[in-house]
């Protein structure tokens, strides 16, 4: 199910990128890729060569992006793999597309200067664009410029302190939101919850959920079989359930359960919700049960 959801995101991202830059290789208001080309030079052989190279590479981008997005549907029980592929694929197709635009933009600027088509007055703004994506104009104090390569959106002037801070803040925010979450999801998939039993306390901790139980508050410990459960919060995959889950027999429960093992340890606790946990195998689950019973007062 998660693979299908992320595949849908892949499809939206792919067609959005394709639509935004659709027709960009055709002259628009005297410009190609944001670069002014004299009307009589639009059909110049050297210009058409640059455009043809872009079209060839763009076809490669299109088919590689289109075909590889279906790999998101490859069945796997690991949510971290699904998420990692989505992040890598999305980043790759956007960066590759931006690189294509930047290359053709730089080629056209270089061609204009070599052939004497550059007009110092008319084309002065081209001096401030780098790769057609980044605007750097130290002669202007404007933070936002109402100009961009595609459409009528605004761009940030990176020559201003506020412009640089805006870009840095945006990049840091994305990193802080994505990287820690991604690392925790990897940990949840590949690292077993840590279970510590002391003389007074039982602690169970996974990447996103932690429970501390005083042994003196435990009323009953039993081994039973349990199925179903509706997630209240936490993480639930085909391999495990961790977090708070609702079971009709017990209500809301703290759960650390591997689905590969039917048997679970059910711990009834005074004045709080039950704790349900097990290990990847029946033998390991029973061994944990013995440890808990041995530590009980």
């Amino acid at each position: 199910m998660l693979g299908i959801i992320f595949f849908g995101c892949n499809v939206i991202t792919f067609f959005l990128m394709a639509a935004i830059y659709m027709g960009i290789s055709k002259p628009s208001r005297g410009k190609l890729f944001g670069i002014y080309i004299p009307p009589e030079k639009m059909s110049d052989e050297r210009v058409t060569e640059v455009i043809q190279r872009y079209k060839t590479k763009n076809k490669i981008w299109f088919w590689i992006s289109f075909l590889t997005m279906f790999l998101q549907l490859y069945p796997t029980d690991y949510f971290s793999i699904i998420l990692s592929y989505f992040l890598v694929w999305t980043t790759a197709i956007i960066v590759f597309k931006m690189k294509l635009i930047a290359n053709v933009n730089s080629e056209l600027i270089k061609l204009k200067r070599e052939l004497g088509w550059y007009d110092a007055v008319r084309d002065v703004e081209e001096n401030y664009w780098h790769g057609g994506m980044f605007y750097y104009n130290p002669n202007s104090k404007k933070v936002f410029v109402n100009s961009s390569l595609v459409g009528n959106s605004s761009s940030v002037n990176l020559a201003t302190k506020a412009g640089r801070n805006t870009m840095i803040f945006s990049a840091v925010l994305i990193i802080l939101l994505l990287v820690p979450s991604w690392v925790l999801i990897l940990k949840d998939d590949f690292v077993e919850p840590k279970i510590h039993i002391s003389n007074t306390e039982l602690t169970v901790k996974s990447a996103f959920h932690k429970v501390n139980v005083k042994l003196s508050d435990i009323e009953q410990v039993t081994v039973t079989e349990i199925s179903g459960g509706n997630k209240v919060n936490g993480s639930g995959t085909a391999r495990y359930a961790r977090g708070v889950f609702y079971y009709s027999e017990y209500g809301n429960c703290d759960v650390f359960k591997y689905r590969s093992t039917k048997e679970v340890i059910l711990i009834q606790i005074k004045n709080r919700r039950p704790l349900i946990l097990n290990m990847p195998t029946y033998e390991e689950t029973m061994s944990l049960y013995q440890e808990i019973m041995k530590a009980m007062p």
Side-chain angles (χ1 to χ4, degrees), residues 52-69:
Q52 189 56 48
R53 281 198 297 272
Y54 165 78
K55 288 182 176 180
T56 300
K57 293 177 181 179
N58 191 54
K59 285 182 180 179
I60 295 173
W61 171 87
F62 180 92
W63 286 111
I64 289 178
S65 302
F66 179 76
L67 295 174
T68 54
M69 73 180 179

Side-chain angles (χ1 to χ4, degrees), residues 18-46:
I20 289 175
Y21 294 102
M22 186 177 294
I24 195 172
S25 58
K26 297 178 181 179
S28 176
R29 299 179 182 179
K31 290 185 176 182
L32 277 171
F33 296 92
I35 304 301
Y36 178 82
I37 302 292
E40 67 277 10
K41 305 296 184 183
M42 286 289 188
S43 57
D44 186 282
E45 182 181 349
R46 287 154 295 192

Side-chain angles (χ1 to χ4, degrees), residues 67 174 176 250:
L67 295 174
I174 292 172
L176 289 179
Y250 312 108

